[in-house]
Amino acid sequence: MKPDADLSKYQRVWVKSNMNDNRGIGHFIREALRARGLESDLGPLTMMPLNTQAIISFTDSWAWDFKDHMTGLTLSFKDTKIDFPIATATYVGHTSFTKAPHEIAEKLVDKLFSENTPRKK
């Protein structure tokens, strides 16, 4: 991750869909971005508009203990001009302390933008 990453300059973010996302995690990430006032949509990279400034990809992991529980989620934030993540946010949880997937997505989007936005002096 770049220590000087400034995500506040990004207004158009594409959420790269995962072919195995049958729980709607991509939609939760997109909605969390929109709640922050960003233009955001979801889909394969082939459908991404040309004016997109950044891409968020995600990896999720799950466990089963009488029901499915999200045990991990990682968001990677890349500028469309750079093929390297400039920021990441990760959640690691235990099945005994379950949180709703949309809450985790919101928390990680907030973490991305709050930790990677310069503070005013």
Side-chain angles (χ1 to χ4, degrees):
M1 177 166 43
K2 291 178 64 176
D4 60 340
D6 178 9
L7 303 191
S8 66
K9 66 182 180 180
Y10 297 97
Q11 295 301 309
R12 292 179 299 281
V13 181
W14 186 258
V15 179
K16 179 182 168 191
S17 60
N18 286 352
M19 296 304 287
N20 61 351
D21 179 21
N22 56 1
R23 294 177 176 96
I25 304 304
H27 294 281
F28 297 141
I29 297 167
R30 178 192 65 200
E31 293 308 312
L33 291 165
R34 287 180 176 176
R36 292 187 71 84
L38 302 172
E39 290 180 40
S40 179
D41 219 332
L42 165 72
L45 292 179
T46 55
M47 301 298 291
M48 182 177 69
L50 293 175
N51 66 347
T52 301
Q53 297 171 303
I55 301 166
I56 290 184
S57 57
F58 65 96
T59 305
D60 56 327
S61 56
W62 295 77
W64 189 86
D65 183 19
F66 298 104
K67 69 176 187 170
D68 279 335
H69 303 281
M70 181 184 280
T71 57
L73 180 62
T74 300
L75 305 183
S76 295
F77 190 97
K78 295 189 326 184
D79 188 298
T80 55
K81 296 174 180 72
I82 304 169
D83 194 28
F84 185 79
I86 59 173
T88 58
T90 302
Y91 164 83
V92 178
H94 304 285
T95 56
S96 58
F97 302 109
T98 60
K99 289 187 177 186
H102 71 87
E103 292 175 323
I104 296 168
E106 291 168 5
K107 178 181 175 183
L108 290 185
V109 167
D110 287 344
K111 183 177 179 181
L112 270 178
F113 283 87
S114 65
E115 290 182 0
N116 295 291
T117 302
R119 292 184 174 32
K120 293 190 168 113
K121 296 178 182 180

